[in-house]
Structures are given as C-alpha cells and as structure tokens.
Amino acid sequence: MSANPGRAAAISSILNRQPKQVSATQPLNKIWASDVFNLATMEEALSKNAFKAMKNTFQTGAPLDPATADVVAAAMKEWAMAKGAKFFSHIFYPMTNATAEKHDGFIITSPEGAAITEFTGSLLIKGEPDGSSFPNGSLRMTNAARGYTAWDPTSPAYIMHTANGATLMIPSVFMSWTGEALDKKIPLLRSNAAMNKAGQRVLALMGETDIAPLNSSCGAEQEYFLVDAALANARPDLVLAGRSLFGAKPPKGQEFDDHYFGAIPARVQNYMQDLEDKLYKLGIPAKTHHNEVAPGQFEIAPYFESANIAADHQQLLMTLLKSTAKEHGFMCLLHEKPFKGVNGSGKHVNWSVGNSTQGNLLDPGSTPNENLNFLLFCGAVIRGVHLFGPMLRAVIASASNDHRLGANEAPPAILSVYLGDQLEKLFMDIKSGKLEASAKGGYMDLGLSQILTFERDPGDRNRTSPFAFTGNRFEFRAVGSSASVHGPLVAMNTMLADSLNWVADTLEGALASSASKTEAVISVLKELMELHGNVIFGGDGYSAEWHKAAVEERGLKNLPTTADSLPELCDEAVVSLFSKAGVFTPVELKSRYDVYSEQYILSIEVEAKLVIEMAKTLIYPAAISYLSELSKTGAALKDMGVSLGNGPAAKVAAEADAMLAAVAKLEAALEMHDFASTDDHMNFLAYEVRKLMDEVRDHADTLEGEVADEYWPLPKYRELLFIK
Ligand code: ADP
Ligand code: MG
C-alpha cells in the first residue's frame, strides 16, 4: 500500500512550478480605465448633444431618450470592436453572491451571406436572458419565468478580456415582466433614492438652500486566502465547499503573528501585480494590499466610490481575484472560514453619504453648521442600527459567515455602534442634558473636526465592534468575505432613510418651539439618544460580559446563526421599513427570505454530504490501510521476538470506528425531511447537523495525528497554509 498519490503528487508538482511571468508594469496613466467606456471615452466618441444627455443620465440617473441611446450604442460598439470585442453581454446580479451574464454576438448576416454587425439602442437598453433558473423566491412561476435585463447607464460599460476573447460588458438590472426586482442592483438604486429624499428634507430644514442629490459611497476591504492550486485541488472540500471540512491544527499556526503585514511572498506579489493591472484597466481603484493575520491570508482594498459603482466593482474584483489566482497556480478562497483554528476572512464595508454641495455628511466638517448636519446624520445612523440591528444581522447572514460571527476574531453577532471616546462622550452629554443648557445660550461651536482628528488614528479604533465610526464614515465590519456588498448597502441606506425622515419630522416641531437652530438640533438628538442611545458600545465586543449585558441590560438581540437571524426579514417592522421606503414590496422582501433560506439549507446539506463521502472514501480507508500495515509489521516483528505493543493500532481502530458511528448519525439526520417550517429546518441544520459534522471531524482530525504521514490522503494544514 502506497501513500495517496493525490497529496504526494500535488506536493512534488509545486516544487517544480514556474511562476507565471507577468509583463513589466505599465505606467498607471497608460492603463487606467483603458477598458472602460466612461465619460472621458464618451466625450471623444459622442456628439456634443449626445454626450450632454449621456452625462446627465450618468450623473443623475435621468432616463435617456431612444435616439440618444441609438447613438450611444453605435459608439459603444465601435469602441468595443476596435478593442477586439465580438460579443456583448448584459451583466447582472441575481439573488446569489454571484454575477450573471449572457453573451450575444454583434454579428448578424445579410441576405447575401455577408457578416455585418449590429448593436442598436434597444439592444443596449434591454436584454432577455430568460434566466428561469436563477433563484427568485416566489416571484416568478417557472412557466412564466421570463425576466429581462435593462442597462444601468449610471455604471460604465467595460471590456472583459478572457482566454475566450474580449466581450463588451453592460452593467444591468434584472427584473420580472411584472416589474419586480429579481436582483441586487435595483434595491440598491431604490435605497439610494430613498436616502436622498429623506436627506434632502433634513438639509432643507437646516436652512441649506443649494442641495445637490445625495449619494452613498462604499469602500470595501476584501480579505482572502491563497492556496496552491495543486494542493487545493487534492482537497474535495476546498473544491466543492470552499473550506476545509477536515484538518488537524498544525504545530505552527498563526500564533507568532509573523504573517500580518509581513513581506509578501514573491509568487503572491506577482499575482497581486497582475491582478491590480487588470483592475486598473477596468477603472477599479485598487489602493492598498497587504498580508493579513493568518498565514496565506491577504487583503485588498480599493479606494471608495459611489455605492452603485463600488458594488459592481466589488463583484468584478471577486471574479478577478479567483480567475487571476488560477492563472498563477493558486486557488483563491473567499470563504469566511476556510481553516478551523485560523482567522477567517471578512469584508469591511466602509460607508458614507454625501453630495457635491454639503460634502460628506458623516464628516464633522469645520463650521458649526457642518457640525450640526453631521450630528443629525450620525444620530440617524445610531437610531437606524438600534431599531434595525437584527435586520442588519440578517442581511450579512450566510452558512459561511456563521463560522466567523461570534467567534473570537470577528465582530460579534450583536449589532452595536462604536463611536470612539470623544464622540461617544458628546452624544452622552447630549443625552444627559449637559449640552442642552449650553445650546440655550445660542451659538455653540462644537469644534468637532478638531476633536475628531484624534479619533481618526487607526490605532485608536475598536476592532471588536461590528459597526464602527471611523472619523468620516461607518465601517460595517461583520460582512462576510464572500458576500456581495449590495445587501449591506441596501440595508444601511434604507435604515438611514427611515431615520432621516424621523429626524426631519422631529426637527420640524423642534424648530418651531426653539430659540435657535442649535437648540432645536440638540433637543432632537437628546430625544433620539434617550430612545436609542443603548446601542452605543465602546467596550470589548468579544467579552462574555458584553454578550450578557447586551441582551439583558440593553435589550439588544444576539443572533448567532443564519437560522436565528434570517427570520428577522419577515418581522413586521422590517417589512414596513422596506415598503415605506419603496425599496422592497412585501412580496419582494419575502422572496429574499425564501431564496436566502434555501441557499442556507442547500449549502449545509452539500457540506454534510461531503463530510460523509470524505470520511468514508478517503479517511477511513487511510486508517484501515495503516492498520493493516501495522498488523503486518507487528506479526513480522513478533516472529523475530519483538513486540510492537498495540497502543497506536488500538487508538486508530477506535477512532476509525467512532468516526463511522458519527457518520451514521449524520446520515440519519440528513434523512429527516419533516419540518413544520423553513425556520425549523434551518434550526435543525444549524444546531443538530452542524454538531454531527463536527463530531465526524473531531475523530478524523485525531486520526490525522495518529496515521503515518505517507498514508494520509489529504494535503494537511501545514501544507495548505505555508507552501507558497
Ligand atoms: P483600515 O484598514 O484602516 O480600515 P483601509 O485604508 O484599508 O483602512 O480601508 C478603508 C476603506 O475605506 C478604503 O476603501 C477607503 O477608500 C474607504 N473610505 C475612506 N473614506 C471613505 C468615505 N468617506 N466613505 C466610504 N469609504 C471610505
Ligand atoms: Mg477597515
């Protein structure tokens, strides 16, 4: 019996691997956005009038007339074909974390048999991918499953280069014929509109006269793992589930913290440079990259952009992280917890709102009036998180993120707000009435930009908070690394819209009865803090005391799993929040619950089946082969009068048996199909099936430490994490 060739072959193939040659980097101004049909390209390609119309649409979302659409389509086609594109595709974001595309050729044939090309305004504006197999909850009957895509002219088209050639990609929304949103982009655009409307109300009440449309911004920090492809492909769990379902802790893990911000390995540097050149060509402003805490873990963070474009770019980034990794002989893991006992990956969604006239409204600014606007918007966020924390928890819920939230490295599953010492004190002073008194004196300079400069020092930030103010934005730190940012952005924009409307209503009354604007603002904030100040927490979010106090004293919810949190989407207050804001109709929201709960159930079932298969067909046979070797050797030694003893053999035999017994229990659990509700089914998976999966794993991981190395079929943690 020989060692498993999969693992051995994988390891030897790495030793011979040649790094992918990356062409010398080109100057940024040569490659920046060179594959993007952006305003600058359009200005050159379009007539003055067409460009003016297009620019207006791009900046405000105003509809484009059909004649201009024809002109834009023709120019887009010329531009794309000159870059080698023969196909175009509407690209859209169904209710998965994936991106979907259907490619069509520009080509049509003439009656004479010649090939000509065609791309009209109507082809640009509307596509019919059918797409009956995209998840849609209860929104479409499959017999009438047609949905269509419509061009989003506020996000620029671009060229995607693959081994298969160049394709013109057209960012699009995806909806049913009856107008329901089947995707993640429509709700994002709607949530932005709702936030804009409410924000304008507040700013108008604050006496602002020139108010440009408000937009939300997003800068997402993306963590990921790179594992050598040969090793990863020898692990069915990494291939199918994106995480290791087995694997004993290596003697060396991340305890030295020697990887964090350490020198980046050469092969990885090659990869990053290649990736970043691709991103730059697509106009994605990749700004920082570094090693993360765990061995084999890295981070990339593009500079922030308007939320709609940032969300499109974030999807593209995830696609390119993976495809570029393949070219470099890596597998890129975006899973939230690929390795047990090693830090997982998140995606910090930095979010702010603002416009071109008042600037970033989550930045304290430098004048007293800017300070007041800031306090109102910041207060509105506090109120939103307090009222809708469980909903925020629900939108980041997934089978994979459950492994991270609540563990001792990631933000807890309790939503609280971190403000920093000085801002927290200010809000507490407002609550206690300390500032009310000084406001009554008339003019009050809060000097916030001064005091908050200190807070912007990253060293001072609370890393244990799921939702932290970081000087001029909020950072939603509990989002999963594999998630799209759409859901969190929709949730934040919508809760803010609701809160800004409350602020406007309350401010209207306060202005009528107060001597000054400052006094009115402080009284609104005082009321807000009395109702919602409980959500502010600056301490250690990982501690057991907080978990207890949050629930018992603050009345916040601790929702550790997806099974606990997804039902929050069906809560009456949440349904009303989204329908009042015009973001989701109740039917659309219910469809999200249906789709996400189904995805949760399917992912755990797939993993459980894989646990069973790997335990039975890879791990058990390895243990038995080793046992048989031990018994042969034992017999031979006995003939020579030497006793091997049966310590190791007995342990292997016992663990292998125990593992099979646990597998049998897991198999039986998967046979259960009688659930009163989807919620019950999710609960069963979260709390029973997952436990049994862990039980199988525990025995297998013990076996890994007992069975001779050459018999072990799966690349081990020490190999997956450390060989680059
Ligand atoms: P850190 O790791 O300290 O949180 P990074 O620089 O890695 O900081 O990432 C911060 C992210 O926040 C970047 O994507 C950055 O562009 C983004 N960001 C900065 N200012 C804003 C803002 N006003 N609104 C939204 N995102 C922002
Ligand atoms: Mg950050």
Side-chain angles (χ1 to χ4, degrees), residues 251-328:
K252 177 182 174 186
Q254 64 186 49
E255 45 281 274
F256 294 104
D257 279 334
D258 48 0
H259 189 258
Y260 194 44
F261 281 71
I264 300 170
R267 243 181 100 195
V268 177
Q269 280 190 20
N270 255 4
Y271 163 77
M272 287 179 168
Q273 187 216 310
D274 199 10
L275 172 72
E276 278 150 16
D277 278 3
K278 287 180 190 178
L279 294 173
Y280 287 152
K281 286 180 188 155
L282 290 165
I284 302 177
K287 186 152 166 65
T288 52
H289 61 227
H290 57 78
N291 284 4
E292 259 301 328
V293 175
Q297 191 186 28
F298 306 92
E299 175 180 307
I300 181 165
Y303 197 67
F304 71 101
E305 303 176 276
S306 89
N308 180 33
I309 293 178
D312 285 0
H313 281 172
Q314 179 39 225
Q315 295 299 115
L316 202 45
L317 173 71
M318 289 198 286
T319 304
L320 287 168
L321 273 167
K322 291 191 162 190
S323 61
T324 309
K326 265 195 188 154
E327 294 168 23
H328 287 256

Side-chain angles (χ1 to χ4, degrees), residues 219 221 288 299 302-304 350-352 360 461 472-473 475:
E221 300 158 62
T288 52
E299 175 180 307
Y303 197 67
F304 71 101
N350 292 270
W351 164 78
S352 63
N360 176 0
R461 287 187 209 161
N472 62 357
R473 61 191 187 267
E475 183 172 354

Side-chain angles (χ1 to χ4, degrees), residues 1-20:
M1 177 67 207
S2 68
N4 177 289
R7 174 168 165 237
I11 293 172
S12 63
S13 80
I14 299 171
L15 303 177
N16 300 322
R17 193 189 287 295
Q18 299 298 322
K20 185 194 168 192

Side-chain angles (χ1 to χ4, degrees), residues 240-254:
L240 287 188
R243 75 170 175 116
S244 55
L245 298 168
F246 298 97
K249 198 173 169 344
K252 177 182 174 186
Q254 64 186 49

Side-chain angles (χ1 to χ4, degrees), residues 243 399 402-403 561-564 566 596-609 666-675 677-694:
R243 75 170 175 116
D402 279 2
H403 292 285
T561 72
T562 302
D564 303 299
L566 262 192
Y596 300 144
S597 53
E598 189 189 7
Q599 278 169 7
Y600 179 71
I601 290 168
L602 287 177
S603 351
I604 297 193
E605 284 179 350
V606 165
E607 284 192 348
K609 286 181 199 158
L666 181 55
E667 281 173 326
L670 287 183
E671 287 301 310
M672 305 258 298
H673 294 296
D674 256 358
F675 297 101
S677 66
T678 307
D679 287 359
D680 279 1
H681 193 178
M682 286 197 291
N683 259 301
F684 180 71
L685 292 167
Y687 290 101
E688 301 300 327
V689 170
R690 278 234 154 127
K691 224 185 339 193
L692 293 172
M693 288 166 64
D694 285 343

Side-chain angles (χ1 to χ4, degrees), residues 288-483:
T288 52
H289 61 227
H290 57 78
N291 284 4
E292 259 301 328
V293 175
Q297 191 186 28
F298 306 92
E299 175 180 307
I300 181 165
Y303 197 67
F304 71 101
E305 303 176 276
S306 89
N308 180 33
I309 293 178
D312 285 0
H313 281 172
Q314 179 39 225
Q315 295 299 115
L316 202 45
L317 173 71
M318 289 198 286
T319 304
L320 287 168
L321 273 167
K322 291 191 162 190
S323 61
T324 309
K326 265 195 188 154
E327 294 168 23
H328 287 256
F330 286 123
M331 184 187 277
C332 173
L333 300 174
L334 296 180
H335 194 286
E336 284 74 4
K337 192 77 179 173
F339 303 103
K340 188 179 165 185
V342 171
N343 266 21
S345 302
K347 173 144 47 201
H348 299 170
V349 177
N350 292 270
W351 164 78
S352 63
V353 301
N355 63 6
S356 58
T357 40
Q358 278 71 41
N360 176 0
L361 287 150
L362 290 175
D363 190 320
S366 50
T367 66
N369 212 49
E370 283 170 349
N371 283 179
L372 292 181
N373 286 344
F374 161 74
L375 286 178
L376 287 175
F377 275 73
C378 189
V381 174
I382 293 168
R383 175 185 180 274
V385 180
H386 185 237
L387 282 180
F388 300 109
M391 179 276 285
L392 287 171
R393 170 66 185 90
V395 301
I396 54 168
S398 67
S400 49
N401 208 15
D402 279 2
H403 292 285
R404 186 173 151 262
L405 292 188
N408 233 21
E409 70 190 47
I414 306 164
L415 262 292
S416 62
V417 177
Y418 171 78
L419 292 179
D421 291 345
Q422 293 162 329
L423 191 58
E424 178 175 333
K425 181 174 179 302
L426 183 74
F427 270 100
M428 290 306 166
D429 284 351
I430 291 173
K431 186 179 176 189
S432 67
K434 257 196 210 163
L435 278 195
E436 196 179 31
S438 45
K440 285 211 161 96
Y443 175 79
M444 178 177 58
D445 184 1
L446 295 167
L448 283 179
S449 63
Q450 304 270 307
I451 64 169
L452 287 173
T453 316
F454 170 69
E455 298 272 349
R456 285 178 215 198
D457 172 9
D460 190 45
R461 287 187 209 161
N462 186 320
R463 302 250 160 217
T464 69
S465 172
F467 207 93
F469 180 70
T470 52
N472 62 357
R473 61 191 187 267
F474 279 91
E475 183 172 354
F476 194 3
R477 304 167 50 87
V479 183
S481 50
S482 66

